[in-house]
Amino acid sequence: NAGVTQTPKFQVLKTGQSMTLQCAQDMNHNSMYWYRQDPGMGLRLIYYSASEGTTDKGEVPNGYNVSRLNKREFSLRLESAAPSQTSVYFCASSEWGSGAKNIQYFGAGTRLSVL
Amino acid sequence: AQTVTQSQPEMSVQEAETVTLSCTYDTSESNYYLFWYKQPPSRQMILVIRQEAYKQQNATENRFSVNFQKAAKSFSLKISDSQLGDTAMYFCAFMKQALSGTYKYIFGTGTRLKVLA
């Protein structure tokens, strides 16, 4: 059972570089999410996608873009990385609606350092 | 705006003892879900327990149970017979419906629990 798979697990960037974090889920979930985790701040929502073809901003969207490529995949792009984007990034997915348990399942995280 | 507050940044407990982690939240909604997640040093987020607000009965999962006080907007986690493997960061989360129809989580800042041998 793969669940939610994130790549890469670790990444070091220089300020101004771009990169894309990949996320895929094999649970046939409608919704997918991207969070960042910083010390003392819990998890904060960057972007989410209720279903294929839709994306919405979360709490901290500035500096990021997302693409819901299909039902399985939801990528997060940093166009011009900044040191403030040094963080651990988590992708999650969930099913929602009548009868759903509304539980979010998380990937293993990506530790990103921007120098 | 909904908020989730975990007022205990760090806690410790002796192995086999019981510990309670606090969580309070603020919302004007009547129907929602609450969760506790565990994050061990591996970083993986693991669901511990889930509570539906319309259910009066407190949720339990083996050694884990909650004390859900809807009127007080309190959702504490009790861990009985603590084990070394319970050492982790624990996050309380509130789930609300988003405008797009899906659901979003709001997380507290976490409580770091250390179980002592």
Side-chain angles (χ1 to χ4, degrees), chain A residues 9-10 31 33 35 37 40 42-43 45 48 50 56 88 90 96 101-104 106-111, chain B residues 33 35 37 39 42-45 47 50 89 91 95 97-110:
Chain A
K9 287 187 168 36
F10 301 94
S31 300
Y33 308 80
Y35 295 89
Q37 182 180 19
L43 277 75
L45 184 64
Y48 65 101
D56 288 288
V88 179
F90 286 95
W96 58 273
K101 290 192 173 183
N102 298 310
I103 296 171
Q104 289 199 1
F106 287 82
T110 296
R111 182 177 293 279
Chain B
Y33 295 81
F35 304 83
Y37 277 85
Q39 186 181 43
S42 67
R43 261 194 350 228
Q44 183 69 53
M45 293 285 285
L47 177 67
R50 168 182 173 270
M89 181 74 89
F91 290 99
M95 192 192 76
Q97 188 161 20
L99 292 174
S100 55
T102 188
Y103 290 88
K104 299 193 293 185
Y105 278 27
I106 298 171
F107 284 86
T109 53

Side-chain angles (χ1 to χ4, degrees), chain B residues 44-116:
Chain B
Q44 183 69 53
M45 293 285 285
I46 302 165
L47 177 67
V48 175
I49 202 163
R50 168 182 173 270
Q51 175 79 43
E52 298 167 58
Y54 65 88
K55 289 189 175 179
Q56 299 273 16
Q57 188 171 6
N58 289 325
T60 61
E61 286 289 341
N62 301 315
R63 297 183 295 106
F64 299 89
S65 61
V66 298
N67 183 4
F68 174 48
Q69 302 288 329
K70 190 172 184 179
K73 296 178 183 175
S74 171
F75 182 60
S76 60
L77 174 70
K78 185 171 84 171
I79 306 174
S80 303
D81 185 26
S82 297
Q83 300 175 0
L84 296 177
D86 295 334
T87 293
M89 181 74 89
Y90 287 81
F91 290 99
C92 177
F94 169 92
M95 192 192 76
K96 59 176 261 188
Q97 188 161 20
L99 292 174
S100 55
T102 188
Y103 290 88
K104 299 193 293 185
Y105 278 27
I106 298 171
F107 284 86
T109 53
T111 295
R112 187 174 301 280
L113 176 68
K114 187 170 184 178
V115 179
L116 307 171

Side-chain angles (χ1 to χ4, degrees), chain A residues 11-88:
Chain A
Q11 184 71 47
V12 179
L13 294 177
K14 294 181 179 179
T15 298
Q17 286 185 318
S18 62
M19 79 160 295
T20 299
L21 280 64
Q22 306 287 352
C23 176
Q25 53 94 6
D26 62 1
M27 295 173 282
N28 202 36
H29 287 164
N30 288 327
S31 300
M32 298 186 73
Y33 308 80
W34 276 106
Y35 295 89
R36 61 177 289 172
Q37 182 180 19
D38 302 293
M41 301 193 74
L43 277 75
R44 292 182 294 168
L45 184 64
I46 305 171
Y47 270 94
Y48 65 101
S49 170
S51 60
E52 185 178 352
T54 69
T55 60
D56 288 288
K57 294 179 180 179
E59 186 184 355
V60 288
N62 291 344
Y64 305 95
N65 287 301
V66 290
S67 295
R68 183 74 183 268
L69 304 170
N70 47 54
K71 192 170 186 179
R72 289 187 64 247
E73 298 172 288
F74 188 41
S75 62
L76 178 72
R77 182 160 178 83
L78 287 69
E79 290 291 352
S80 179
S84 61
Q85 294 178 305
T86 292
S87 187
V88 179

